[in-house]
């Protein structure tokens, strides 16, 4: 059978399918990694990985006959696609199937921050409701002005779902999407100044690194809220913490962080902040669909040379069928 390298974890269902179709080598179980690459690297035709672990440059360099990298996740910034495409290596990911749950998480965080869900839960459980009476008033997201940084598939799903709350939607992307009924801003700071909520759902790469900086955060202001369900690298985390501590930003709902799983301790002490551990797509249903698509891309590639969901950089690539032996 074709040899495959698994980098990062996989669900039991995925592992069963991997073993059914491939000879699987699990990177985390290999003690002598340099020795493995030297003796077995040329045998590996496929890599299954995720958006966090990706494929480190030294690993990719040691896989001389690698044909495909199938990424379990929509983000693939931990995979150097420029090197992959130069070598003719197909890279796939799992978009679309997680749109709804990531969008739901963004809206959940909006509601949790605006209605102070964690604060009010503690208000009940700590006895303050009995001792001090009703909790302070909170804010509604109904009719709020929302700016979305990144209006790809997930961003559009967020915008559509926020229609149920009669939200006014604006967006900032590299390129305007004139076919969509939302207000476009070519300047992120200008958009942040005009909205109540700024939702980041953009890939993490050099072009978006810390694009949400102090200037953008200050434009969002003391009545504004930042929601991040994209990548932690998109936000200047030190500037964010300082703005929350100083009252220059009203609140934040964060599912992603700059140095996961490490989170600035100050964020955990703030009533106007809600944190989740990078779980926007982490439902049983969505993770099953992501796993199915990861496997489908691999099997289609080796069956007829096609894939279901190539990353944009590889959409043009055509390969000959490579059937697993």
């Amino acid at each position: 059978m074709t040899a495959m390298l698994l980098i990062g974890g996989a669900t039991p269902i995925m592992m069963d399918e991997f073993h059914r179709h491939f000879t699987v080598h699990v990177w985390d179980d290999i003690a002598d990694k340099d020795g493995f690459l030297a003796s077995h690297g040329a045998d590996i035709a496929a890599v299954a990985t995720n958006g966090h672990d990706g494929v480190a440059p030294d690993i990719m360099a040691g896989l001389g006959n690698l044909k495909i990298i199938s990424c379990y996740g929509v983000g693939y910034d931990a995979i150097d696609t420029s090197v992959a495409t130069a070598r003719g290596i197909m890279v796939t990911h799992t978009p679309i199937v997680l749109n709804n749950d990531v969008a739901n998480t963004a809206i959940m965080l909006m509601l949790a921050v605006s209605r102070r869900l964690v604060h009010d839960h503690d208000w009940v459980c700590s006895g303050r409701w009995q001792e001090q009476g009703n909790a302070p008033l909170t804010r509604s997201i109904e009719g709020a002005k929302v700016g979305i940084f990144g209006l790809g598939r997930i961003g559009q799903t967020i915008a559509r779902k926020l229609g149920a709350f009669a939200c006014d939607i604006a967006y900032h992307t590299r390129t305007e999407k004139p076919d969509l009924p939302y207000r476009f801003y070519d300047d992120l700071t200008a958009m942040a100044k005009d909205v109540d909520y700024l939702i980041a759902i953009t890939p993490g790469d050099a072009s978006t690194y810390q694009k949400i900086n102090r200037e953008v955060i200050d434009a969002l202001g003391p009545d504004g809220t930042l929601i991040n369900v994209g990548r932690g690298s998109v936000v200047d985390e030190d500037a964010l913490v300082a703005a929350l501590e100083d009252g220059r930003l009203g609140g934040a709902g964060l599912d992603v962080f700059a140095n996961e799983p490490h989170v600035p301790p100050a964020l955990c002490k703030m009533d106007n902040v809600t944190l989740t551990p990078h779980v926007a797509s982490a439902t049983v249903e969505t993770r099953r669909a992501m796993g199915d698509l990861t496997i489908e891309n691999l099997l289609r590639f080796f069956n007829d040379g096609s894939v279901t969901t190539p990353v944009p950089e590889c959409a043009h690539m055509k390969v000959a069928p490579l059937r697993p032996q």
Side-chain angles (χ1 to χ4, degrees):
M1 291 194 292
T2 299
M4 186 195 86
L5 181 63
L6 174 64
I7 302 174
T11 67
I13 293 174
M14 291 173 68
M15 288 303 298
D16 287 345
E17 289 298 306
F18 289 152
H19 284 296
R20 182 176 303 174
H21 299 283
F22 301 94
T23 298
V24 181
H25 301 273
V26 180
W27 185 248
D28 288 346
D29 294 343
I30 298 170
D32 181 5
K33 291 177 168 52
D34 289 338
F36 173 84
L37 290 175
S39 58
H40 298 289
D43 300 329
I44 302 296
V47 166
T49 185
N50 57 63
H52 175 72
D53 291 289
V55 185
D58 59 324
I59 299 176
M60 194 183 299
L63 305 177
N65 293 312
L66 183 61
K67 306 300 182 185
I68 180 172
I69 300 169
S70 185
C71 180
Y72 173 77
V74 65
Y76 53 94
D77 40 292
I79 300 169
D80 191 332
T81 54
S82 62
V83 172
T85 54
R87 289 179 50 186
I89 300 168
M90 173 64 72
V91 181
T92 66
H93 61 156
T94 58
I96 304 172
V97 295
L98 45 64
N99 293 358
N100 282 314
D101 275 324
V102 176
N104 292 344
T105 300
I107 296 170
M108 176 188 75
L109 288 170
M110 285 180 65
L111 288 165
V113 176
S114 66
R115 298 304 305 268
R116 297 292 192 263
L117 177 64
V118 177
H119 170 273
D120 282 3
H121 173 87
D122 183 66
W123 193 268
V124 174
C125 295
S126 67
R128 279 184 288 173
W129 191 14
Q130 298 178 51
E131 297 168 0
Q132 301 178 37
N134 292 335
L137 295 178
T138 57
R139 303 294 296 267
S140 174
I141 72 167
E142 195 73 24
K145 295 179 179 179
V146 179
I148 301 176
F149 178 23
L151 202 67
R153 297 183 185 96
I154 300 174
Q156 291 177 45
T157 303
I158 293 171
R160 175 176 57 80
K161 288 175 178 282
L162 284 174
F165 298 92
C167 291
D168 178 70
I169 306 295
Y171 71 98
H172 169 72
T173 57
R174 295 189 186 106
T175 306
E176 184 175 3
K177 301 177 183 291
D179 55 321
L180 296 176
Y182 312 120
R183 190 167 65 261
F184 171 69
Y185 282 79
D186 60 7
D187 183 88
L188 180 58
T189 303
M191 183 177 76
K193 185 177 181 180
D194 289 347
V195 299
D196 305 307
Y197 295 85
L198 175 59
I199 300 177
I201 181 59
T202 189
D205 56 29
S207 68
T208 61
Y209 180 72
Q210 293 192 357
K211 287 286 285 186
I212 299 178
N213 53 22
R214 174 163 183 163
E215 181 182 15
V216 173
I217 292 168
D218 284 348
L220 191 54
D223 293 323
T225 298
L226 173 67
I227 305 294
N228 192 2
V229 289
R231 281 289 187 265
S233 61
V234 172
V235 177
D236 181 338
E237 203 163 74
D238 291 338
L240 172 63
V241 171
L244 288 165
E245 289 178 330
D246 296 345
R248 289 181 287 108
L249 181 65
L254 309 171
D255 184 56
V256 290
F257 306 89
N259 188 28
E260 297 176 1
H262 305 288
V263 176
L267 291 174
C268 300
K269 303 173 184 178
M270 299 178 182
D271 289 338
N272 57 342
V273 173
T274 300
L275 311 175
T276 51
H278 203 151
V279 293
S281 66
T283 65
V284 171
E285 296 83 0
T286 289
R287 290 297 170 87
R288 174 61 188 267
M290 290 168 61
D292 289 347
L293 187 50
T294 301
I295 294 162
E296 178 181 322
N297 279 317
L298 287 168
L299 296 184
R300 283 192 62 184
F301 180 85
F302 286 106
N303 183 56
D304 63 14
S306 68
V307 294
T308 305
T309 50
V311 301
E313 295 90 336
C314 295
H316 67 285
M317 292 174 59
K318 303 293 182 183
V319 296
L322 297 167
R323 297 181 184 276
Q325 301 299 315

